[in-house]
Amino acid sequence: MSGVRERLTDGAYALGWSTVKKLPEPVAVRLGRAIADIAWKRRGKGVRRLESNYARVVPDATPQRLAELSRAGMRSYLRYWMESFRLPAWSRERIASGFSAQDLHYLTDGLASGKGVILALPHLGNWDLAGAWVTTKLETPFTTVAERLKPETLYDRFVAYREGLGMEVLAHDASVFGTLARRLRDGGLVCLVADRDLSASGVEVKFFGETTRMPAGPALLAQQTGALLLPVTLWYDDSHMMRGRLHPPVDVPETGTRTEKTSVMTQALADAFATGIADHPEDWHMLQRLWLADLEPRPEPSDGERP
């Protein structure tokens, strides 16, 4: 990204957090929907990718159905952004009434055990709102990880935004695993978005019948610390409220190598994510390439170059 584009991006987010949060909620809702519809009609790269991803989630969908899904998906995506820009201005009561979770006992019982809990989520709904609800309604702090963004000022904005909602935000670097493990051993809560990892360290899983990679971190943390690993899926309904479900814990297999256990556990996470996404595909905000079959072929390494 060029320096000019980085500054424009940073400025756009700054404008969102400074301006949108001041709008009355009905106005923000209408604005988000209008922006979503304009973006959908333009059929840019992100919209086309979203539609392509939905084609795997709903394989029998007609072209008309996929178009309807992508339009609903863009509206859901912009609802996420409008809410995120406005969350810092929401009252504690508005945050507490903005989310409802099924099978919450998995989380509360896990925290009461003192062994620590890992919540793993896909890019469904608004994970920032769910996190703000945890820190506000449940009065439970937690730790999460943020990828470093460019420019640095944009990364700082996101960190400040999430810390303002009561989250501890760690940079995604070499030391982050150890810090997360310490938080869990102390009986704490860790929340990780975990449905996309196209790095060399990602674990290959079957996802809607095709191969992709997802992060190994949640499974490795559970193995190393004994913390409870819980998949979570989120979705919107027609009200002002977001809904969520805590799925049954992903257990550590009793046998197998560390790599084998990690593979089994990450596949279990993928299966839980797929259940939630299949039920509410329009709330899955995956506007990037995900499946390995969609990635650009990598050039062969030259002599002396590591693959």
Side-chain angles (χ1 to χ4, degrees), residues 41-100:
K41 289 176 181 176
R42 289 180 175 174
R43 292 195 59 78
K45 182 169 64 175
V47 173
R48 296 195 306 273
R49 176 55 53 190
L50 182 67
E51 204 164 288
S52 174
N53 289 337
Y54 286 159
R56 285 184 168 93
V57 175
V58 190
D60 59 347
T62 63
Q64 180 180 354
R65 172 59 176 151
L66 287 176
E68 292 170 351
L69 271 177
S70 65
R71 183 178 189 182
M74 290 303 296
R75 288 183 171 184
S76 176
Y77 184 51
L78 264 294
R79 175 173 173 174
Y80 159 75
W81 279 114
M82 291 295 113
E83 286 180 348
S84 295
F85 288 141
R86 289 176 49 76
L87 266 174
W90 281 14
S91 67
R92 292 179 61 87
E93 292 75 17
R94 177 65 180 88
I95 292 172
S97 67
F99 179 59
S100 176

Side-chain angles (χ1 to χ4, degrees), residues 24-25 30 33 35 39 42-43 57 64 93 110 135 140 165 171 184 191 196 214 240 282:
E25 188 161 349
R30 290 195 297 270
R33 179 164 290 198
I35 295 171
R42 289 180 175 174
R43 292 195 59 78
V57 175
Q64 180 180 354
E93 292 75 17
T135 61
T140 301
L165 298 176
L184 292 167
C191 301
R196 186 174 187 264
M214 293 188 180
H240 76 282
E282 66 279 4

Side-chain angles (χ1 to χ4, degrees), residues 197-255:
D197 184 349
L198 302 179
S199 69
S201 61
V203 178
E204 289 195 3
V205 296
K206 287 294 183 182
F207 195 53
F208 292 101
E210 294 192 43
T211 304
T212 187
R213 296 191 190 101
M214 293 188 180
L220 290 172
L221 284 167
Q223 291 176 59
Q224 185 161 318
T225 67
L228 195 69
L229 176 55
L230 296 176
V232 181
T233 53
L234 309 171
W235 67 94
Y236 289 122
D237 61 17
D238 293 331
S239 71
H240 76 282
M241 182 176 286
M242 184 177 69
R243 309 288 178 176
R245 176 190 174 194
L246 287 93
H247 296 253
V250 173
D251 294 326
V252 178
E254 295 182 359
T255 61

Side-chain angles (χ1 to χ4, degrees), residues 270-288:
D271 293 342
F273 294 165
T275 297
I277 292 167
D279 288 342
H280 306 280
E282 66 279 4
D283 292 321
W284 188 42
H285 308 147
M286 186 55 66
L287 281 72
Q288 301 83 25

Side-chain angles (χ1 to χ4, degrees), residues 17-181:
W17 271 304
S18 64
T19 303
V20 174
K21 71 179 181 181
K22 298 177 183 178
L23 297 175
E25 188 161 349
V27 175
V29 170
R30 290 195 297 270
L31 176 62
R33 179 164 290 198
I35 295 171
D37 287 350
I38 291 170
W40 178 77
K41 289 176 181 176
R42 289 180 175 174
R43 292 195 59 78
K45 182 169 64 175
V47 173
R48 296 195 306 273
R49 176 55 53 190
L50 182 67
E51 204 164 288
S52 174
N53 289 337
Y54 286 159
R56 285 184 168 93
V57 175
V58 190
D60 59 347
T62 63
Q64 180 180 354
R65 172 59 176 151
L66 287 176
E68 292 170 351
L69 271 177
S70 65
R71 183 178 189 182
M74 290 303 296
R75 288 183 171 184
S76 176
Y77 184 51
L78 264 294
R79 175 173 173 174
Y80 159 75
W81 279 114
M82 291 295 113
E83 286 180 348
S84 295
F85 288 141
R86 289 176 49 76
L87 266 174
W90 281 14
S91 67
R92 292 179 61 87
E93 292 75 17
R94 177 65 180 88
I95 292 172
S97 67
F99 179 59
S100 176
Q102 299 175 10
D103 296 321
L104 185 61
H105 64 92
Y106 287 126
L107 173 58
T108 54
D109 292 350
L111 291 172
S113 73
K115 294 181 179 180
V117 176
I118 306 157
L119 298 181
L121 307 88
H123 287 79
L124 265 174
N126 188 339
W127 45 96
D128 287 325
L129 171 55
W133 184 86
V134 168
T135 61
T136 301
K137 178 73 172 181
L138 300 186
E139 299 182 337
T140 301
F142 67 86
T143 303
T144 189
V145 176
E147 182 180 357
R148 286 201 174 275
L149 303 171
K150 292 184 179 182
E152 191 74 16
T153 50
L154 179 57
Y155 170 77
D156 291 341
R157 289 186 197 281
F158 272 96
V159 170
Y161 158 62
R162 291 186 169 121
E163 287 180 342
L165 298 176
M167 312 174 193
E168 179 189 24
V169 183
L170 305 177
H172 192 283
D173 57 27
S175 66
V176 70
F177 187 90
T179 305
L180 293 174

